[in-house]
């Protein structure tokens, strides 16, 4: 019996006259996700189908769909010709060896099909009880096993029992492009995932402080970027040498302002790179009050050196919320590997929690900000994943 994957979206339904743009983008993203799998893609009203794939490829198809933003859910359906005998054959196959309560739910897009939807459900349900009545009982209110029978206009019927929920959100690319500041920690990959879910395509920027942070720390970030790339349709990771900037800050600036000034340099470099690569926003994994550099005063200090929007999708999340998502997207175990990132280099004992902006500017004036920024930008290494 032939199988098909029915793919559904939700938010796109709300897009009115612009709906076709989002549908087309989601269609291309799905095709790109399964491009290495032999199957046929079919566009239907408000949903898509994948057909004619090998059974052994189904687990990979499911994995790809679960990581494609804009997909609300999918179902794996049996596909049969639209007559009662064939439809019941599919229903019987899906309920074989099952136990509990069930309900047949028929949708009859083909209004020429007889009997009508209600009568079809009654007829199929009766035959199920005749064949499997020892193990299955009808419950029309809260069935344990809903059986969906979708009779289409083209003479085909889809029969399935399960709906698997996916990322939902909007298709990647529909909300522009952003530059994610990615460290080796837990928060920034989650922030990237959240923006992919809202339709923003990402590039990543990582600050590397060799020899204070080693090659293993860089490889860790590459692994995290690769995991994000699965949700982003590929990704560009830019690695900037940050060592000289940190050494100069350590040498010339008050210890309590080191992290604040370091973050201001990161923002300057990020904005320059974002403008060069066509990104429209900077994205960080900051959560309000989580650490000293994420108080409202510290965030205000960082924001003051750029004009580009800075998006902080985790700003109101607590650490447990963030860890839950990190586990879900399989970045947590990589993030907790014990390799230091640049934020742990020259770490002050007592960083300023509420830095005074005028004092920060005065401390920063001891540095050649322009020269150090230009030097860092010249060190950029691009890694395409």
């Amino acid at each position: 019996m032939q199988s098909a994957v029915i793919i559904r979206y939700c938010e796109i339904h709300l897009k009115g006259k612009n709906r076709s743009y989002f549908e087309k983008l989601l269609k291309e993203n799905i095709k790109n996700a399964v491009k290495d799998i032999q199957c046929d893609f079919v566009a239907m009203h408000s949903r898509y189908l994948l057909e004619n794939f090998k059974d052994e490829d189904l687990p990979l198809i499911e994995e790809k769909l679960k990581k494609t933003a804009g997909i609300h859910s999918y179902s794996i359906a049996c596909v049969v010709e639209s007559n009662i005998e064939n439809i019941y054959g599919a229903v019987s196959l899906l309920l074989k060896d099952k136990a509990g309560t069930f309900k047949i739910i028929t949708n009859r897009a083909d209004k020429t099909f007889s009997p009508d939807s209600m009568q079809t459900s009654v007829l199929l349900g009766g035959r199920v009880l005749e064949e499997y009545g020892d193990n299955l009982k009808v419950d029309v209110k809260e069935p344990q096993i809903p059986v969906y029978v979708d009779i289409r206009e083209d003479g085909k019927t889809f029969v399935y029992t399960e709906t698997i929920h996916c990322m939902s959100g909007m298709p990647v690319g529909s909300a522009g492009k952003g530059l994610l500041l990615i460290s080796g920690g837990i928060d920034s990959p989650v922030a990237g995932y959240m923006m992919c879910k809202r339709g923003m395509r990402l590039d990543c920027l990582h600050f590397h402080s060799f020899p204070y942070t080693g090659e293993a720390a860089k490889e860790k970030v590459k692994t995290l970027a690769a995991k994000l790339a699965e949700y982003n349709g590929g990704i560009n990771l830019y690695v900037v040498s940050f060592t000289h900037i940190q050494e100069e800050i350590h040498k010339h600036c008050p210890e309590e302002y080191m992290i604040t000034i370091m973050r201001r340099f990161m923002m300057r470099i990020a904005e320059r790179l974002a403008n060069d690569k066509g990104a429209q926003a900077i994205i960080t994994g900051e959560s309000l009050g989580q650490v000293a550099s994420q108080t409202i005063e510290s965030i205000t200090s960082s924001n003051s050196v750029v004009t580009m929007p800075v998006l902080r999708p985790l700003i109101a999340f607590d650490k447990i919320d963030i860890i839950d998502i990190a586990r879900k997207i399989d970045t947590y175990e990589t993030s907790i590997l014990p390799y230091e990132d640049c934020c742990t280099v020259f770490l002050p004992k007592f960083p300023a929690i509420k830095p005074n902006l005028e004092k920060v500017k005065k401390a920063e004036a001891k540095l050649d900000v322009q020269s150090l920024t230009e030097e860092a930008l010249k060190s950029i290494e691009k890694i395409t994943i």
Side-chain angles (χ1 to χ4, degrees):
M1 191 173 292
Q2 186 182 355
S3 296
V5 180
I6 304 170
I7 303 168
R8 310 175 189 86
Y9 55 76
C10 58
E11 273 192 73
I12 292 176
H13 285 293
L14 306 175
K15 293 302 177 182
K17 294 180 180 179
N18 294 324
R19 178 168 159 178
S20 61
Y21 164 75
F22 294 93
E23 289 177 326
K24 182 179 179 181
L25 190 54
L26 179 57
K27 172 182 172 180
E28 293 306 313
N29 288 352
I30 293 170
K31 283 184 173 182
N32 183 59
V34 299
K35 66 180 184 296
D36 296 325
I37 303 169
Q38 185 176 347
C39 62
D40 293 332
F41 180 95
V42 181
M44 299 176 65
H45 179 65
S46 299
R47 54 186 172 171
Y48 307 110
L49 287 180
L50 296 179
E51 297 181 310
N52 300 321
F53 49 82
K54 297 176 181 177
D55 289 344
E56 58 265 31
D57 287 334
L58 184 55
L60 181 58
I61 289 173
E62 292 191 77
E63 180 184 339
K64 296 292 186 181
L65 296 181
K66 288 175 182 176
K67 295 178 179 178
T68 302
I71 296 177
H72 174 260
S73 64
Y74 68 88
S75 295
I76 302 164
C78 296
V79 185
V80 296
E81 294 298 320
S82 295
N83 64 67
I84 286 294
E85 290 305 318
N86 288 340
I87 295 171
Y88 181 71
V91 171
S92 178
L93 179 66
L94 291 175
L95 291 179
K96 185 180 179 181
D97 302 323
K98 296 285 197 305
T101 60
F102 78 99
K103 176 184 178 182
I104 307 292
I105 304 161
T106 302
N107 173 57
R108 194 172 53 106
D110 179 5
K111 301 305 180 185
T112 67
F113 183 88
S114 181
D116 65 21
S117 299
M118 183 65 73
Q119 292 171 333
T120 299
S121 294
V122 171
L123 179 60
L124 294 172
R127 292 186 63 172
V128 169
L129 290 175
E130 288 177 10
E131 186 171 5
Y132 301 119
D134 291 340
N135 297 319
L136 291 167
K137 304 297 178 186
V138 173
D139 184 345
V140 296
K141 292 185 177 179
E142 295 184 0
Q144 294 169 317
I145 310 167
V147 182
Y148 299 93
V149 176
D150 190 2
I151 303 169
R152 308 307 303 170
E153 298 96 327
D154 61 358
K156 291 182 180 180
T157 294
F158 301 96
V159 183
Y160 57 94
T161 60
E162 189 176 7
T163 297
I164 298 97
H165 289 276
C166 299
M167 284 178 70
S168 291
M170 299 302 296
V172 166
S174 63
K177 183 177 179 182
L179 180 66
L180 172 69
L181 305 191
I182 185 167
S183 68
I186 297 170
D187 302 342
S188 52
V190 174
Y193 165 80
M194 297 296 290
M195 295 313 300
C196 286
K197 187 174 179 178
R198 295 314 309 156
M200 182 164 277
R201 192 172 298 281
L202 303 179
D203 282 343
C204 292
L205 172 61
H206 176 65
F207 296 94
H208 189 51
S209 295
F210 183 82
Y212 303 106
T213 57
E215 194 64 25
K218 182 177 172 182
E219 289 300 316
K220 174 183 174 181
V221 171
K222 286 170 64 176
T223 300
L224 291 171
K227 290 182 180 293
L228 270 182
E230 296 180 42
Y231 300 95
N232 193 60
I235 215 159
N236 291 319
L237 170 64
Y238 298 95
V239 181
V240 172
S241 176
F242 206 55
T243 309
H244 190 203
I245 289 174
Q246 288 188 281
E247 289 174 338
E248 289 297 293
I249 294 171
H250 180 63
K251 189 185 302 182
H252 298 290
C253 300
E255 181 179 344
E256 65 269 25
Y257 289 133
M258 283 177 55
I259 291 177
T260 303
I261 295 171
M262 180 182 75
R263 297 291 296 182
R264 286 162 64 87
F265 269 97
M266 288 179 173
M267 286 296 183
R268 292 186 180 100
I269 293 166
E271 185 175 53
R272 288 281 298 278
L273 180 64
N275 282 323
D276 184 56
K277 303 304 177 184
Q280 299 150 288
I282 298 166
I283 304 158
T284 80
E286 291 165 304
S287 171
L288 188 62
Q290 189 176 122
V291 294
S293 64
Q294 296 178 23
T295 62
I296 193 64
E297 291 83 2
S298 294
I299 289 171
T300 300
S301 172
S302 298
N303 279 4
S304 69
V305 299
V306 296
T307 58
M308 180 174 286
V310 181
L311 306 181
R312 296 175 170 90
L314 308 184
I315 197 68
F317 283 43
D318 64 31
K319 201 66 177 183
I320 294 174
D321 296 330
I322 297 168
I323 288 173
D324 285 345
I325 298 174
R327 291 186 188 279
K328 173 184 172 182
I329 65 174
D330 192 32
T331 57
Y332 179 74
E333 295 299 329
T334 301
S335 292
I336 62 173
L337 291 174
Y339 305 126
E340 294 183 331
D341 60 34
C342 70
C343 295
T344 63
V345 177
F346 306 125
L347 197 63
K349 289 184 179 179
F350 302 105
I353 296 174
K354 297 182 178 182
N356 178 281
L357 187 55
E358 292 307 313
K359 290 182 179 179
V360 170
K361 290 178 179 179
K362 184 177 180 180
E364 193 178 65
K366 299 175 183 178
L367 305 172
D368 188 343
V369 172
Q370 182 67 23
S371 176
L372 288 169
T373 301
E374 294 294 338
E375 179 188 346
L377 287 164
K378 289 177 182 177
S379 75
I380 289 178
E381 173 192 3
K382 178 183 177 181
I383 302 168
T384 301
I385 302 172

